[in-house]
Amino acid sequence: MKVFQHVSDIGDLKQAIEEALQIKADRYQYQSLGKNKTCMLIFFNNSLRTRLSTQKAAMNLGMNVIVLDVNQGAWKLETERGVIMDGDKSEHLLEAIPVMGCYCDIIGVRSFARFENREDDYQEKILNQFIKYSGKPVFFMESATVHPLQAFADLITIEEYKRNQRPKVVLTWAPHPKSLPQAVPNSFAQWMNAADVNFVVTHPEGYELDPLFVGDAKVEYDQLKAFEGADFIYAKNWSCPGVTRPEDYGKVLSKDMSWTVDTKHMELTNNAYFMHCLPVRRNMIVTDDVIESPTSIVIPEAANREISAQVVLKRMLESL
Ligand code: CP
């Protein structure tokens, strides 16, 4: 595997889940695979889970790990070609990327949507430069449009907890005070569409996800109706994807607190498990009662981030 961005990059999903569960049963069985190999993790944005779980996954495989916080200690980077660099940015990404590639075997990059220009974000300008100029396999640790390590971990978690063969999985928008990217819901939708689940998306009008990711999934604008009979509730905020009105891209169109997932919502479900990628704003996205309930699986979900990362790194090591 040379790039990990979309669900198609992982190949057969059933096989990938089997591999994940096999790794989870003994996560140190491939310790020699990563010997003398270096994984570089580059963060343009903050992280708790991605940073720790990916580092742990690489160490489980016997790899050396280098973590770079671009905004703390590195030169300020220019990302646009053609700019006269007479400002505060000392280095261009076009030199920095191949230099980083010299010091490692595999690169993971986190670079969020900037919300300056929808086209730039959806073209994945930063990550595509890493793919083009690093000379190394690149995996996405949440980009402008996707968060595949999260979606893979979510799918592993659903497989572990499902109580029937084809569970109903509901992705619900929930309110948040700030503009958040669409990367998590985009990837979640893409992976659920590829999995054997009954997938439903619910959000207020204006929050339609890009067709590239939501595909033919059922969209239900009535949140309470969507929750009926659900086996899994996956809550997440996202800002306006700008599908119907490009001028609204990245805007907060609603802070309607009736969309906050509370016990009344959960009572409509089939005793559903509650999921969220974390970090989560309590009593905006979900009430204390729901996230602390016995059916909240946010912690096992986060734990599976180590496993999804390890499958991806293992496959990249095998393809070196
Ligand atoms: N879910 C997730 O990616 O968490 P972090 O932003 O803390 O890495």
Side-chain angles (χ1 to χ4, degrees):
M1 188 195 292
K2 296 295 182 196
V3 173
F4 181 62
Q5 177 177 7
H6 295 299
V7 67
S8 52
D9 296 320
I10 202 82
D12 185 274
L13 264 190
K14 217 171 151 219
Q15 220 171 312
I17 292 164
E18 273 169 23
E19 193 173 335
L21 297 177
Q22 186 235 2
I23 282 173
K24 192 166 178 175
D26 177 6
R27 61 196 73 193
Y28 303 110
Q29 61 190 297
Y30 299 106
Q31 274 267 314
S32 56
L33 194 60
K35 188 173 170 9
N36 295 334
K37 301 286 185 222
T38 299
C39 179
M40 185 177 282
L41 307 179
I42 299 163
F43 288 91
F44 288 84
N45 306 93
N46 295 340
S47 167
L48 187 148
R49 277 144 293 271
T50 304
R51 173 191 304 264
L52 298 179
S53 62
T54 312
Q55 197 164 343
K56 177 70 165 56
M59 293 190 302
N60 292 349
L61 291 163
M63 300 187 83
N64 302 311
V65 186
I66 299 172
V67 182
L68 176 68
D69 284 299
V70 172
N71 299 321
Q72 286 171 21
W75 300 111
K76 213 165 179 186
L77 293 174
E78 177 56 62
T79 57
E80 293 301 315
R81 196 169 172 278
V83 168
I84 297 171
M85 290 173 58
D86 59 354
D88 61 343
K89 294 175 180 166
S90 309
E91 177 151 27
H92 203 288
L93 207 55
L94 290 174
E95 283 78 54
I97 291 174
V99 168
M100 293 184 220
C102 294
Y103 307 140
C104 65
D105 301 283
I106 295 172
I107 302 185
V109 183
R110 165 165 285 199
S111 178
F112 290 173
R114 296 179 173 192
F115 292 136
E116 287 163 9
N117 179 320
R118 186 182 197 277
E119 217 171 279
D120 283 1
D121 285 344
Y122 270 72
Q123 281 175 2
E124 293 290 6
K125 273 185 134 178
I126 304 289
L127 266 292
N128 277 328
Q129 291 190 75
F130 275 90
I131 292 168
K132 197 166 173 190
Y133 299 115
S134 70
K136 298 290 149 85
V138 174
F139 62 98
F140 285 47
M141 298 196 299
E142 188 169 345
S143 67
T145 65
V146 291
H147 196 357
L149 288 171
Q150 181 66 52
F152 186 15
D154 297 334
L155 180 59
I156 296 165
T157 312
I158 288 169
E159 277 297 316
E160 287 179 320
Y161 281 83
K162 72 181 185 186
R163 292 173 294 216
N164 54 57
Q165 194 48 42
R166 197 163 185 275
K168 179 176 178 182
V169 178
V170 177
L171 167 64
T172 180
W173 179 94
H176 193 280
K178 292 184 175 174
S179 284
L180 294 190
Q182 295 105 41
V184 169
N186 281 347
S187 280
F188 189 74
Q190 188 185 56
W191 284 67
M192 289 303 116
N193 281 333
D196 188 19
V197 300
N198 170 12
F199 181 50
V200 177
V201 186
T202 184
H203 55 72
E205 289 194 30
Y207 280 94
E208 289 76 16
L209 293 167
D210 194 291
L212 179 67
F213 300 102
V214 79
D216 295 328
K218 181 176 167 52
V219 177
E220 171 58 68
Y221 292 103
D222 181 337
Q223 189 195 29
L224 300 182
K225 202 168 164 202
F227 271 50
E228 285 171 10
D231 297 296
F232 293 88
I233 295 296
Y234 193 98
K236 184 73 183 86
N237 174 269
W238 61 91
S239 63
C240 175
V243 170
T244 46
R245 284 171 49 92
E247 63 271 31
D248 284 344
Y249 175 62
K251 286 187 184 163
V252 174
L253 303 179
S254 168
K255 291 184 189 170
D256 184 349
M257 297 291 279
S258 73
W259 283 73
T260 302
V261 179
D262 61 11
T263 47
K264 286 263 172 273
H265 284 77
M266 295 303 282
E267 278 166 11
L268 297 169
T269 69
N270 181 27
N271 195 26
Y273 288 108
F274 175 81
M275 300 179 72
H276 188 281
C277 62
L278 306 181
V280 69
R281 295 219 182 202
R282 283 178 174 226
N283 304 308
M284 286 292 304
I285 301 281
V286 58
T287 61
D288 291 324
D289 288 344
V290 170
I291 198 166
E292 292 171 8
S293 73
T295 52
S296 167
I297 53 172
V298 294
I299 305 305
E301 181 186 357
N304 277 335
R305 290 293 307 277
E306 179 182 339
I307 307 305
S308 63
Q310 196 168 331
V311 174
V312 170
L313 287 172
K314 174 179 170 281
R315 291 188 176 194
M316 286 191 159
L317 283 168
E318 287 167 342
S319 72
L320 288 179

PDB file of all heavy atoms in Angstrom, residues 6 24 48 93 144 169 176 195 200 216 219-220 237 317-318:
ATOM      1  N   HIS A   6      -8.505   6.575   0.964  1.00  0.00           N
ATOM      2  CA  HIS A   6      -9.906   6.183   0.790  1.00  0.00           C
ATOM      3  C   HIS A   6     -10.106   4.723   1.178  1.00  0.00           C
ATOM      4  O   HIS A   6      -9.148   3.945   1.241  1.00  0.00           O
ATOM      5  CB  HIS A   6     -10.335   6.386  -0.666  1.00  0.00           C
ATOM      6  CG  HIS A   6     -10.324   7.828  -1.081  1.00  0.00           C
ATOM      7  ND1 HIS A   6     -11.106   8.786  -0.475  1.00  0.00           N
ATOM      8  CD2 HIS A   6      -9.607   8.471  -2.044  1.00  0.00           C
ATOM      9  CE1 HIS A   6     -10.887   9.958  -1.049  1.00  0.00           C
ATOM     10  NE2 HIS A   6      -9.976   9.799  -1.990  1.00  0.00           N
ATOM     11  N   LYS A  24      -5.129  -7.444  16.836  1.00  0.00           N
ATOM     12  CA  LYS A  24      -5.579  -7.061  18.174  1.00  0.00           C
ATOM     13  C   LYS A  24      -5.342  -8.201  19.176  1.00  0.00           C
ATOM     14  O   LYS A  24      -5.030  -7.951  20.351  1.00  0.00           O
ATOM     15  CB  LYS A  24      -7.056  -6.673  18.137  1.00  0.00           C
ATOM     16  CG  LYS A  24      -7.531  -5.986  19.405  1.00  0.00           C
ATOM     17  CD  LYS A  24      -8.870  -5.316  19.215  1.00  0.00           C
ATOM     18  CE  LYS A  24      -9.339  -4.677  20.496  1.00  0.00           C
ATOM     19  NZ  LYS A  24     -10.578  -3.912  20.322  1.00  0.00           N
ATOM     20  N   LEU A  48      -4.626  14.305  19.936  1.00  0.00           N
ATOM     21  CA  LEU A  48      -4.318  13.462  21.097  1.00  0.00           C
ATOM     22  C   LEU A  48      -4.301  11.999  20.638  1.00  0.00           C
ATOM     23  O   LEU A  48      -3.280  11.335  20.652  1.00  0.00           O
ATOM     24  CB  LEU A  48      -5.362  13.671  22.209  1.00  0.00           C
ATOM     25  CG  LEU A  48      -5.053  12.957  23.537  1.00  0.00           C
ATOM     26  CD1 LEU A  48      -5.581  13.764  24.718  1.00  0.00           C
ATOM     27  CD2 LEU A  48      -5.681  11.569  23.591  1.00  0.00           C
ATOM     28  N   LEU A  93       7.179  24.346   1.256  1.00  0.00           N
ATOM     29  CA  LEU A  93       6.804  22.932   1.365  1.00  0.00           C
ATOM     30  C   LEU A  93       7.507  22.087   0.299  1.00  0.00           C
ATOM     31  O   LEU A  93       7.810  20.917   0.510  1.00  0.00           O
ATOM     32  CB  LEU A  93       5.277  22.828   1.201  1.00  0.00           C
ATOM     33  CG  LEU A  93       4.538  21.665   1.865  1.00  0.00           C
ATOM     34  CD1 LEU A  93       4.816  21.584   3.346  1.00  0.00           C
ATOM     35  CD2 LEU A  93       3.041  21.781   1.621  1.00  0.00           C
ATOM     36  N   ALA A 144      -7.919  17.518   4.791  1.00  0.00           N
ATOM     37  CA  ALA A 144      -9.016  18.473   4.597  1.00  0.00           C
ATOM     38  C   ALA A 144     -10.349  17.761   4.426  1.00  0.00           C
ATOM     39  O   ALA A 144     -11.390  18.255   4.865  1.00  0.00           O
ATOM     40  CB  ALA A 144      -8.728  19.338   3.368  1.00  0.00           C
ATOM     41  N   VAL A 169     -26.946   1.704  11.196  1.00  0.00           N
ATOM     42  CA  VAL A 169     -25.938   2.652  11.683  1.00  0.00           C
ATOM     43  C   VAL A 169     -26.366   4.054  11.249  1.00  0.00           C
ATOM     44  O   VAL A 169     -26.554   4.303  10.052  1.00  0.00           O
ATOM     45  CB  VAL A 169     -24.542   2.320  11.090  1.00  0.00           C
ATOM     46  CG1 VAL A 169     -23.511   3.335  11.560  1.00  0.00           C
ATOM     47  CG2 VAL A 169     -24.118   0.908  11.467  1.00  0.00           C
ATOM     48  N   HIS A 176     -22.429  22.465  17.474  1.00  0.00           N
ATOM     49  CA  HIS A 176     -21.069  22.764  17.933  1.00  0.00           C
ATOM     50  C   HIS A 176     -20.866  24.267  17.753  1.00  0.00           C
ATOM     51  O   HIS A 176     -21.374  24.837  16.782  1.00  0.00           O
ATOM     52  CB  HIS A 176     -20.068  21.965  17.084  1.00  0.00           C
ATOM     53  CG  HIS A 176     -18.670  21.927  17.638  1.00  0.00           C
ATOM     54  ND1 HIS A 176     -17.793  22.978  17.469  1.00  0.00           N
ATOM     55  CD2 HIS A 176     -18.015  20.984  18.329  1.00  0.00           C
ATOM     56  CE1 HIS A 176     -16.640  22.656  18.059  1.00  0.00           C
ATOM     57  NE2 HIS A 176     -16.753  21.455  18.590  1.00  0.00           N
ATOM     58  N   ALA A 195     -19.383  -0.996   3.703  1.00  0.00           N
ATOM     59  CA  ALA A 195     -19.564  -2.099   4.668  1.00  0.00           C
ATOM     60  C   ALA A 195     -20.970  -2.681   4.559  1.00  0.00           C
ATOM     61  O   ALA A 195     -21.855  -2.089   3.930  1.00  0.00           O
ATOM     62  CB  ALA A 195     -19.322  -1.571   6.079  1.00  0.00           C
ATOM     63  N   VAL A 200     -27.713   5.225   7.495  1.00  0.00           N
ATOM     64  CA  VAL A 200     -28.602   6.388   7.364  1.00  0.00           C
ATOM     65  C   VAL A 200     -27.861   7.628   7.870  1.00  0.00           C
ATOM     66  O   VAL A 200     -27.184   7.563   8.911  1.00  0.00           O
ATOM     67  CB  VAL A 200     -29.899   6.187   8.182  1.00  0.00           C
ATOM     68  CG1 VAL A 200     -30.796   7.423   8.097  1.00  0.00           C
ATOM     69  CG2 VAL A 200     -30.655   4.947   7.711  1.00  0.00           C
ATOM     70  N   ASP A 216     -24.927   6.924  -2.333  1.00  0.00           N
ATOM     71  CA  ASP A 216     -26.376   6.675  -2.374  1.00  0.00           C
ATOM     72  C   ASP A 216     -26.955   6.424  -0.988  1.00  0.00           C
ATOM     73  O   ASP A 216     -28.053   5.872  -0.869  1.00  0.00           O
ATOM     74  CB  ASP A 216     -26.668   5.445  -3.262  1.00  0.00           C
ATOM     75  CG  ASP A 216     -26.292   5.701  -4.707  1.00  0.00           C
ATOM     76  OD1 ASP A 216     -26.398   6.874  -5.136  1.00  0.00           O
ATOM     77  OD2 ASP A 216     -25.879   4.747  -5.392  1.00  0.00           O
ATOM     78  N   VAL A 219     -30.560   9.659   3.210  1.00  0.00           N
ATOM     79  CA  VAL A 219     -30.484  10.888   4.013  1.00  0.00           C
ATOM     80  C   VAL A 219     -31.877  11.173   4.559  1.00  0.00           C
ATOM     81  O   VAL A 219     -32.848  11.247   3.788  1.00  0.00           O
ATOM     82  CB  VAL A 219     -29.966  12.081   3.175  1.00  0.00           C
ATOM     83  CG1 VAL A 219     -29.963  13.363   4.011  1.00  0.00           C
ATOM     84  CG2 VAL A 219     -28.571  11.792   2.621  1.00  0.00           C
ATOM     85  N   GLU A 220     -31.980  11.302   5.883  1.00  0.00           N
ATOM     86  CA  GLU A 220     -33.267  11.546   6.552  1.00  0.00           C
ATOM     87  C   GLU A 220     -33.153  12.866   7.323  1.00  0.00           C
ATOM     88  O   GLU A 220     -32.342  12.974   8.243  1.00  0.00           O
ATOM     89  CB  GLU A 220     -33.558  10.361   7.499  1.00  0.00           C
ATOM     90  CG  GLU A 220     -34.740  10.547   8.417  1.00  0.00           C
ATOM     91  CD  GLU A 220     -36.032  10.806   7.647  1.00  0.00           C
ATOM     92  OE1 GLU A 220     -36.503   9.897   6.974  1.00  0.00           O
ATOM     93  OE2 GLU A 220     -36.535  11.961   7.725  1.00  0.00           O
ATOM     94  N   ASN A 237     -20.360  16.712  14.654  1.00  0.00           N
ATOM     95  CA  ASN A 237     -20.669  18.002  14.030  1.00  0.00           C
ATOM     96  C   ASN A 237     -19.832  18.153  12.771  1.00  0.00           C
ATOM     97  O   ASN A 237     -18.721  17.625  12.683  1.00  0.00           O
ATOM     98  CB  ASN A 237     -20.370  19.165  14.973  1.00  0.00           C
ATOM     99  CG  ASN A 237     -20.547  20.491  14.262  1.00  0.00           C
ATOM    100  OD1 ASN A 237     -19.603  21.034  13.695  1.00  0.00           O
ATOM    101  ND2 ASN A 237     -21.754  20.998  14.242  1.00  0.00           N
ATOM    102  N   LEU A 317       4.608  -1.362   5.293  1.00  0.00           N
ATOM    103  CA  LEU A 317       5.928  -1.994   5.486  1.00  0.00           C
ATOM    104  C   LEU A 317       6.097  -3.171   4.529  1.00  0.00           C
ATOM    105  O   LEU A 317       7.170  -3.361   3.952  1.00  0.00           O
ATOM    106  CB  LEU A 317       6.059  -2.491   6.937  1.00  0.00           C
ATOM    107  CG  LEU A 317       6.343  -1.422   7.992  1.00  0.00           C
ATOM    108  CD1 LEU A 317       6.168  -1.992   9.398  1.00  0.00           C
ATOM    109  CD2 LEU A 317       7.756  -0.850   7.838  1.00  0.00           C
ATOM    110  N   GLU A 318       5.037  -3.949   4.358  1.00  0.00           N
ATOM    111  CA  GLU A 318       5.116  -5.110   3.475  1.00  0.00           C
ATOM    112  C   GLU A 318       5.304  -4.717   2.016  1.00  0.00           C
ATOM    113  O   GLU A 318       5.778  -5.524   1.215  1.00  0.00           O
ATOM    114  CB  GLU A 318       3.831  -5.969   3.622  1.00  0.00           C
ATOM    115  CG  GLU A 318       3.809  -6.735   4.938  1.00  0.00           C
ATOM    116  CD  GLU A 318       2.425  -7.329   5.270  1.00  0.00           C
ATOM    117  OE1 GLU A 318       1.416  -6.880   4.682  1.00  0.00           O
ATOM    118  OE2 GLU A 318       2.362  -8.196   6.146  1.00  0.00           O
TER     119      GLU A 318
END
